[in-house]
Amino acid sequence: EPEVTQTPSHQVTQMGQEVILRCVPISNHLYFYWYRQILGQKVEFLVSFYNNEISEKSEIFDDQFSVERPDGSNFTLKIRSTKLEDSAMYFCASSLLQGRNTEAFFGQGTRLTVV
Amino acid sequence: AQSVTQPDIHITVSEGASLELRCNYSYGATPYLFWYVQSPGQGLQLLLKYFSGDTLVQGIKGFEAEFKRSQSSFNLRKPSVHWSDAAEYFCAVGAGGSQGNLIFGKGTKLSVKP
């Protein structure tokens, strides 16, 4: 069964460092997403990506964040200068279509710890 | 504002007992509703979804959920819980725009006693 895969499963980084979280969406999907979950809080939307550009982003997705689809398979989230409050579980998701009634398929998450 | 509330942070049930996880939503238009499960070390897996039609929807792993518009609820149920059901369960409503395609609740952690 096709699945979304994320690497690494856990990343520890020092405050101020850049991190890149990687995702391989399901191969025929067209829409890609990043969500995050700070410990004890809700899963929150960060950004959606379609046709090689950002289609929507939340208030959380500020200038320190960027996304890229560098090749035909990977989808990355870069945090330029990490802060302690960026510590969270980051989920990548993909979907074939877009819309409120679309099922998104999620990866297992990358736990980012900023120290 | 659109939101999803899961009032129970943690629930413990005995194996074989029935289960109901509560979910309330606030959404201005017709809601599209989802339940996801996250087992330890796993991603978010879709259990079931409601778009329209029959308000009682069946999902995987023996789960079902009932949409009640009058109560703005979409509670998840299972008649007999198995130890492997121990996980975190997330209710979500399909959104759009800058809220992303899904608005999630905080999740309910389910523990199962032998």
Side-chain angles (χ1 to χ4, degrees):
Chain A
E1 185 177 326
E3 59 180 14
V4 176
T5 56
Q6 290 184 242
T7 55
S9 56
H10 190 187
Q11 176 140 10
V12 181
T13 188
Q14 287 200 324
M15 192 168 53
Q17 295 296 304
E18 173 184 286
V19 294
I20 297 176
L21 308 183
R22 302 180 192 280
C23 169
V24 179
I26 294 174
S27 61
N28 64 333
H29 284 186
L30 302 175
Y31 297 87
F32 314 113
Y33 313 88
W34 284 101
Y35 287 78
R36 78 171 186 191
Q37 184 185 26
I38 295 172
L39 189 64
Q41 298 187 24
K42 297 186 179 188
V43 177
E44 303 170 291
F45 168 72
L46 293 178
V47 65
S48 60
F49 191 86
Y50 169 72
N51 199 27
N52 278 320
E53 60 183 31
I54 290 173
S55 49
E56 297 290 349
K57 61 182 181 178
S58 71
E59 292 178 350
I60 303 167
F61 194 86
D62 61 22
D63 291 344
Q64 70 160 345
F65 291 96
S66 62
V67 289
E68 193 179 30
R69 189 155 162 82
D71 52 42
S73 58
N74 289 284
F75 178 51
T76 62
L77 174 69
K78 181 191 290 185
I79 309 175
R80 262 179 270 282
S81 176
T82 51
K83 306 172 199 163
L84 294 176
E85 54 265 37
D86 293 327
S87 295
M89 180 74 90
Y90 288 81
F91 292 104
C92 174
S94 68
S95 64
L96 183 58
L97 303 172
Q98 190 180 45
R100 295 193 295 124
N101 60 346
T102 297
E103 177 182 347
F105 292 78
F106 285 80
Q108 80 280 19
T110 292
R111 180 167 297 284
L112 175 66
T113 303
V114 182
V115 297
Chain B
Q2 292 87 343
S3 65
V4 175
T5 301
Q6 293 179 248
D8 303 306
I9 296 171
H10 191 183
I11 283 182
T12 300
V13 300
S14 297
E15 191 167 16
S18 64
L19 170 71
E20 182 168 27
L21 302 182
R22 295 183 289 165
C23 172
N24 292 97
Y25 67 89
S26 171
Y27 194 76
T30 302
Y32 296 105
L33 296 159
F34 304 80
W35 273 100
Y36 282 85
V37 61
Q38 185 184 24
S39 300
Q42 303 296 313
L44 293 166
Q45 181 184 21
L46 182 69
L47 280 176
L48 47 77
K49 59 192 176 190
Y50 170 78
F51 293 164
S52 64
D54 193 346
T55 56
L56 184 64
V57 291
Q58 303 297 321
I60 62 171
K61 305 185 181 188
F63 285 92
E64 66 179 26
E66 186 170 13
F67 169 60
K68 292 186 178 179
R69 185 184 296 274
S70 61
Q71 297 177 20
S72 298
S73 70
F74 188 55
N75 293 348
L76 182 71
R77 302 194 294 243
K78 186 169 184 178
S80 177
V81 168
H82 188 261
W83 63 267
S84 60
D85 293 325
E88 189 146 22
Y89 292 81
F90 295 92
C91 181
V93 63
S98 62
Q99 298 171 101
N101 63 327
L102 292 168
I103 298 174
F104 284 88
K106 278 194 177 184
T108 298
K109 184 174 180 181
L110 173 67
S111 297
V112 180
K113 290 190 299 187

